[in-house]
Amino acid sequence: MRRLIVNADDFGYTAGVNRAIVEAHTQGIVTSSTLMANGPAFADAARLAATAKELSIGSHIVLIDGEPLLAPHRIRTLAGRGTTSSFRDGLMSFAARAISGMISADEIEAEAKEQIRKIQSAGIAVSHFDTHKHTHVFPKVLRPLLRAAAACGVKAVRNPFGPRRPLRSSELLAKPSLWKRTVEVRMLRAFAAKFQTAVDRMGFSTPDGTLGIEVTGVLDERLFLAIAESIPEGTWEFVCHPGYNDADLQAANTRLRQSRELELRALTLPEARHLLTEKNIELISYREFVNAECRS
């Protein structure tokens, strides 16, 4: 049996990203999305979520590259120094400090609770969570996030670790830039066993792993079809970032701009759904996944 959750990240980032995610759901294969509680377009996303009843909504917890919901004095190891309202780190500095234990677990838990509860307060049932730039790969970050989610009644989390061979060598050769990204992702597999242990201990549901992380920023129709051709047995999550490259996105602090429109095209092509049907791959949402796990 092969099942696939297609999750669009960054709901709430811009109005153009929001619109594209809903289109990729209603006209394509996106089944789930994760919402940024601190996103500039959060209110617009919450409004759209109310019109897309079948779209399973999770929390896209942000600990870097944005603004926290809690006041800086309450999260001193996460927020910038002085009076700044932004998180202090980019990914590399966050990773170094997380691994060395320089970030407070209590502060991570408190900020994560605030973000999840903001989404719930908007009337949205939070089906799962993941993190911006997959900061939950680090065990010292994952554990307080699991505690926060459990306290909010959320019991599913993205498994950020993919299969050992997500793409054939021919696909990597066609896009040499994928080699570096693939090597980086494989190096993070060192944390996979600790992830599974922590998730099991807390009683969380999680898919067998993720697909698509390696191709973030370069995903197109051909790469999506290549990944879909080789989905392993089990339940997998395909991570995507559709969007419209409008003025808001141009002004945002992100490297993913034009690539979001390419992803939207790939996710809404009839060929994508036809291939999944042909391969007997069942499209499901996180909500359906959690319900099935509870019954088993």
Side-chain angles (χ1 to χ4, degrees):
M1 177 182 68
R2 290 186 292 174
R3 301 187 298 175
L4 184 66
I5 299 165
V6 182
N7 192 95
D9 288 5
D10 296 347
F11 203 26
Y13 193 50
T14 68
V17 167
N18 295 347
R19 181 161 57 94
I21 287 173
V22 173
E23 287 182 16
H25 169 63
T26 58
Q27 302 173 31
I29 61 172
V30 166
T31 62
S32 304
S33 184
T34 34
L35 175 54
M36 306 171 86
N38 63 345
F42 173 83
D44 178 67
R47 177 184 62 82
L48 289 174
T51 70
K53 302 294 187 183
E54 299 303 314
L55 182 64
S56 180
I57 304 293
S59 176
H60 194 59
I61 296 173
V62 179
L63 300 174
I64 58 174
D65 298 338
E67 296 188 357
L69 296 185
L70 293 176
H73 73 272
R74 295 184 58 187
I75 47 170
R76 296 186 185 280
T77 65
L78 287 171
R81 296 180 177 85
T83 59
T84 179
S85 61
S86 299
F87 288 114
R88 66 186 292 169
D89 290 315
L91 181 58
M92 296 306 293
S93 58
F94 180 91
R97 294 198 312 117
I99 292 170
S100 62
M102 297 175 64
I103 301 177
S104 165
D106 289 342
E107 292 178 6
I108 292 173
E109 183 175 348
E111 176 65 24
K113 282 181 185 176
E114 194 76 7
Q115 293 187 25
I116 295 171
R117 286 173 176 162
K118 180 178 177 180
I119 298 172
Q120 293 172 328
S121 294
I124 297 171
V126 177
S127 56
H128 62 293
F129 82 89
D130 55 38
T131 55
H132 180 53
K133 295 191 176 177
H134 294 105
T135 53
H136 69 294
V137 298
F138 305 111
K140 292 180 180 179
V141 177
L142 173 65
R143 289 189 286 270
L145 290 177
L146 293 174
R147 292 195 295 271
C152 296
V154 178
K155 297 295 288 183
V157 58
R158 170 180 292 167
N159 180 342
F161 304 99
R164 294 188 179 277
R165 296 179 63 87
L167 286 168
R168 292 188 289 266
S169 296
S170 59
E171 302 297 338
L172 293 173
L173 289 171
K175 284 186 179 289
S177 61
L178 289 177
W179 280 106
K180 179 175 182 290
R181 179 69 169 164
T182 300
V183 170
E184 290 172 347
V185 170
R186 287 182 181 177
M187 288 175 64
L188 291 173
R189 286 188 62 86
F191 298 116
K194 290 184 178 180
F195 170 86
Q196 197 62 54
T197 298
V199 166
D200 291 344
R201 182 177 293 127
M202 292 286 290
F204 271 68
S205 299
T206 190
D208 292 303
T210 52
L211 305 164
I213 293 176
E214 293 86 354
V215 298
T216 298
V218 296
L219 178 67
D220 55 19
E221 174 190 352
R222 185 181 58 78
L223 275 174
F224 174 79
L225 295 177
I227 292 170
E229 285 273 6
S230 57
I231 294 175
E233 289 290 314
T235 300
W236 296 83
E237 178 183 358
F238 185 84
V239 178
C240 57
H241 300 80
Y244 282 104
N245 190 21
D246 56 15
D248 288 340
L249 193 61
Q250 286 289 324
N253 180 25
T254 179
R255 69 182 179 90
L256 305 180
R257 294 191 174 92
Q258 188 60 39
S259 65
R260 294 182 189 261
E261 295 193 355
L262 295 176
E263 291 199 22
L264 176 61
R265 172 177 167 78
L267 296 165
T268 54
L269 284 173
E271 290 85 349
R273 187 177 292 275
H274 292 163
L275 177 62
L276 296 176
T277 301
E278 182 182 278
K279 297 292 183 181
N280 293 316
I281 298 168
E282 180 186 4
L283 269 177
I284 65 168
S285 69
Y286 253 104
R287 186 186 304 134
E288 292 168 319
F289 169 67
V290 172
N291 289 341
E293 290 287 294
C294 290
R295 289 194 300 268
S296 62

